[in-house]
Amino acid sequence: MNMIKRFKVSFSKIFSKLFKKKGACIGIYGPPNAGKTTLSNRILKDWVGGEETMGSVSHIAHETRHAKRRNGVSIEANGHTINLDIVDTPGLATKIDFHDFMEQGMSDSESKKRSKEATEGVIEAVKWLDDLDGVILVMDSTENPYTQVNVTVIGNMEARNLPLLIVANKVDLPEADPAVIKEAFPQHPMVPVSALEGIGMDSFYEALAKQFG
């Protein structure tokens, strides 16, 4: 009798694993230096712990040159837990000029190499859209949101019917104006945060659960 009971328990565990709902795969997009990797790192710090990060950050644009995926991030918000796979993508840009890297003190050859890597990163980020269940679009709340990159990304998401959450980042800076972003794209939910300082993250996770949970 005990053996039958143990068999039922073991079978139940196997069955639940086989039919467990797959977590949504969410891509973090945005222009260079908007704070995508900083946001990704903050999510891991809050919900994974330890020293794990998605990548390094830099004031030089296009520091993230390849998409990085972290599976199985469990986030508790709105009274329940959501399981997400997070993809930190390279910065999107409509134009990449190696002279911009030279202005940061890089050599001619290194600048051209970084420019090539950045271009490849944009292509990779666009390809990832085919495998995503939703997108977090990070914008710098100190800058004009009416850019070709932002408008193009949002238009692309709408054409694909992908759920979208806009993050107005860097609200810790005095010149930040997240209300302008909300006014620019009122058709999508927006949450103001400082991924660096951890400001507004509770509201972000609540919005995340509502949009992708």
Side-chain angles (χ1 to χ4, degrees):
M1 196 71 177
N2 289 337
M3 184 178 294
I4 294 174
K5 187 177 181 180
R6 285 198 298 270
F7 175 77
K8 287 182 177 180
V9 172
S10 297
F11 183 78
S12 176
K13 289 181 178 179
I14 294 172
F15 188 85
S16 64
K17 286 182 179 180
L18 286 174
F19 292 93
K20 184 179 181 181
K21 184 180 179 181
K22 178 181 176 291
C25 187
I26 306 301
I28 299 181
Y29 280 72
N33 286 354
K36 300 177 300 300
T37 300
T38 302
L39 179 63
S40 299
N41 290 343
R42 171 63 62 176
I43 294 172
L44 294 189
K45 179 180 180 181
D46 289 346
W47 298 105
V48 177
E51 300 298 322
E52 182 177 354
T53 64
M54 290 292 273
S56 60
V57 296
S58 170
H59 69 281
I60 300 177
H62 301 287
E63 177 66 18
T64 300
R65 293 162 234 179
H66 299 284
K68 298 178 182 178
R69 179 171 182 166
R70 177 44 162 94
N71 294 337
V73 179
S74 296
I75 296 173
E76 297 179 9
N78 298 340
H80 66 282
T81 301
I82 59 171
N83 295 308
L84 301 177
D85 295 344
I86 304 295
V87 182
D88 181 28
T89 65
L92 296 176
T94 55
K95 180 183 178 182
I96 299 174
D97 189 340
F98 76 94
H99 291 98
D100 293 335
F101 293 102
M102 292 188 69
E103 290 177 359
Q104 298 296 326
M106 296 184 185
S107 65
D108 180 81
S109 60
E110 186 179 8
S111 296
K112 290 178 179 177
K113 179 174 179 287
R114 283 291 296 268
S115 179
K116 180 175 181 293
E117 291 173 341
T119 302
E120 292 171 347
V122 171
I123 295 172
E124 182 184 6
V126 172
K127 287 182 177 178
W128 261 103
L129 291 173
D130 293 330
D131 299 318
L132 298 176
D133 300 303
V135 167
I136 297 169
L137 178 57
V138 183
M139 298 185 190
D140 185 337
S141 62
T142 69
E143 297 184 355
N144 178 12
Y146 295 98
T147 66
Q148 187 174 351
V149 169
N150 290 338
V151 172
T152 299
V153 170
I154 289 178
N156 203 312
M157 299 306 102
E158 293 174 343
R160 293 170 181 264
N161 291 317
L162 281 174
L164 176 67
L165 174 62
I166 297 175
V167 171
N169 194 26
K170 304 187 182 182
V171 297
D172 56 300
L173 300 179
E175 62 270 32
D177 192 357
V180 174
I181 295 176
K182 181 63 178 177
E183 292 171 3
F185 308 105
Q187 70 273 35
H188 296 290
M190 185 277 287
V191 57
V193 308
S194 168
L196 181 65
E197 300 295 338
I199 299 170
M201 293 307 294
D202 287 343
S203 296
F204 165 72
Y205 293 127
E206 290 172 3
L208 194 68
K210 183 177 181 180
Q211 191 73 348
F212 306 120

